[in-house]
Amino acid sequence: MTIKAQRGTKDILPEESATWQMIRENAQKVFQNAGFGEISTPVFEATELFNRGVGDSTDIVNKEMYTFCVGGADKNSSSITLRPENTAGVVRAYIEHNLNRISPPQKFWYFAPMFRYERPQAGRQRQFHQVGVEMFGASEPIADAEVILTAVEFLNSLGLNDLTVELNTLGCKNCKNAYREAIKEVIKPYLDEMCDDCKMRYEKNPLRMLDCKNDTCQKIFEKEEVKKVILKDYICDDCREHFETLTGYLNSLNINYKINKMLVRGLDYYNRTVFEIKSENLGSQSAVCGGGRYDGLVEMLGGQPTPAIGFAMGVERLYAIINKKDPEKLDYYIVSTNTSETIKLARSLRNKNKKVDYDFQGKKFSKQLEKASKVANFALILGDDEIEQKFYSIKNLTTGEQVKVFNIDEL
Ligand code: HAM
């Protein structure tokens, strides 16, 4: 029996890698231009980091973590988890390496695999990749605008211009509590009808109930008196001013956004600004990007009180909307039957940073040219005449034009 890739995992094949590389290169360019430095943290961390960081009212912690014990029955055995997201890991690294010594804001970006034991479907995998940024040390609304702008600029660099930014504010410790209590009170009479997850969230993090996809729960949120509470503004003056200043920046930057009061995000650490960027071309898993402010997380994980904000995007979802499957072409395919000259020529060109390949199997010229037209932009022909008279024939495989070149430096 053949062994297949695990459910919810995918191989990334060479024909897909050009688009993957393009996504990574654009991320590097856009993020580094905005002052973000790349950070890579380990794929696994202490389980406790996610229990505390992501939060125990979340699906991620309750149902989706790849957790295992290492060290067996040994008293030093410890529980580790494959990271389901990267914010907690970056915060851990930020504290561990005293990155607050750099003058604020400290800005980091990453591109890395994540793991969630979810029910696989289009746009939802068990191993997937996130590209994202985290910024520490800035509490001002301009920082929120900068992070959202960075996300939008990166998406624009990929040619993705018709996406919707959804925005909400969850308020701060003070006003969040008033909102939570109001929601608890209005939901209380319906609690018995709600799903088990919402019953648990009701106790641990009532705002997260609004994220529930269960039909019965959704109908309860649509009831007149419940909706009134959800839509009412509970945020304090400071939080209102923060949000209004942010939307002012977004207006001045011509960033299209839509306020969505139901947007609460699936992780526990957020306060104030939260946002998602959605694409209509992705079906039910429409979010390409999720992010927000998490001003309490650094302190909660043992660091100094530090405001922070960031986002992450699903690379597979970006790939699905870019949907280009062009294999990357070689610069030259050498067409020759003289293998010893060919291998030397390939070496020189590759050393000049050209992408070059050639035939190993002694195929006829016509077959080699056929292959060249599929895989390369130019055929570099090295026949008997060329070798005798010391020149190269270069054929443009798009236009069919052919020229003679006497020195490979002229290529
Ligand atoms: P998240 O919303 O859980 O946020 O994930 C961010 C993005 O990762 C989603 O919008 C989606 O595009 C992608 N994604 C999530 N789960 C899957 C999956 N199973 N399969 C494919 N793609 C997926 C976070 O992870 C936060 N750490 C974002 C953040 C950074 N907030 C502040 N800083």
Side-chain angles (χ1 to χ4, degrees), residues 85 87 116 118 123 125 130 134 265 269-270 287-288 290 310 314:
E85 60 100 59
T87 309
R116 295 184 193 177
E118 300 202 71
Q125 290 176 214
Q130 284 187 341
E134 311 294 347
R265 306 275 302 123
Y269 45 63
Y270 294 110
V288 279

Side-chain angles (χ1 to χ4, degrees), residues 178-189:
Y179 192 35
R180 284 160 74 131
E181 290 312 312
I183 287 187
K184 276 179 92 165
E185 199 175 314
V186 72
I187 291 286
K188 201 170 178 182

Side-chain angles (χ1 to χ4, degrees), residues 29 195 306 408:
K29 199 171 97 212
C195 73
T306 309
I408 57 162

Side-chain angles (χ1 to χ4, degrees), residues 140-171:
E140 300 78 7
I142 185 89
D144 307 38
E146 164 87 337
V147 163
I148 294 173
L149 175 66
T150 304
V152 169
E153 287 293 310
F154 168 56
L155 292 167
N156 288 348
S157 80
L158 299 174
L160 307 174
N161 306 306
D162 55 349
L163 305 172
T164 317
V165 180
E166 292 192 6
L167 195 64
N168 193 16
T169 177
L170 302 178

Side-chain angles (χ1 to χ4, degrees), residues 71-223:
D74 188 283
K75 65 176 183 310
N76 293 323
S77 70
S78 52
S79 174
I80 63 173
T81 292
L82 299 184
R83 62 179 168 209
E85 60 100 59
N86 214 24
T87 309
V90 173
V91 170
R92 196 249 332 119
Y94 177 84
I95 300 168
E96 189 166 338
H97 302 287
N98 296 317
L99 295 176
N100 59 355
R101 66 190 144 77
I102 309 165
S103 89
Q106 300 93 17
K107 296 165 139 188
F108 308 99
W109 75 275
Y110 49 81
F111 184 114
M114 307 292 150
F115 306 86
R116 295 184 193 177
Y117 187 71
E118 300 202 71
R119 197 167 49 79
Q121 53 176 279
R124 198 199 272 164
Q125 290 176 214
R126 291 181 172 170
Q127 177 176 339
F128 60 100
H129 294 73
Q130 284 187 341
V131 57
V133 310
E134 311 294 347
M135 169 153 80
F136 299 88
S139 57
E140 300 78 7
I142 185 89
D144 307 38
E146 164 87 337
V147 163
I148 294 173
L149 175 66
T150 304
V152 169
E153 287 293 310
F154 168 56
L155 292 167
N156 288 348
S157 80
L158 299 174
L160 307 174
N161 306 306
D162 55 349
L163 305 172
T164 317
V165 180
E166 292 192 6
L167 195 64
N168 193 16
T169 177
L170 302 178
C172 61
K173 251 191 263 158
N174 306 327
C175 48
K176 207 171 174 181
N177 277 346
Y179 192 35
R180 284 160 74 131
E181 290 312 312
I183 287 187
K184 276 179 92 165
E185 199 175 314
V186 72
I187 291 286
K188 201 170 178 182
Y190 307 105
L191 192 57
D192 281 348
E193 300 163 40
M194 297 185 85
C195 73
D196 289 345
D197 284 341
C198 278
K199 285 181 185 138
M200 181 269 290
R201 290 171 187 149
Y202 183 87
E203 298 303 333
K204 290 190 171 166
N205 188 352
L207 283 192
R208 293 240 31 260
M209 290 190 297
L210 305 185
D211 202 32
C212 184
K213 305 286 176 285
N214 180 296
D215 284 347
T216 318
C217 302
Q218 284 287 332
K219 282 195 185 109
I220 294 170
F221 302 137
E222 274 157 27
K223 284 181 189 292

Side-chain angles (χ1 to χ4, degrees), residues 274-313:
V274 286
F275 61 96
E276 285 189 351
I277 304 180
K278 294 189 173 163
S279 163
E280 280 175 11
N281 301 328
L282 279 176
S284 62
Q285 302 305 312
S286 61
V288 279
C289 174
R293 203 164 252 296
Y294 50 95
D295 295 334
L297 187 60
V298 177
E299 188 179 9
M300 205 239 281
L301 293 174
Q304 299 294 319
T306 309
I309 179 164
F311 67 76
M313 300 191 189

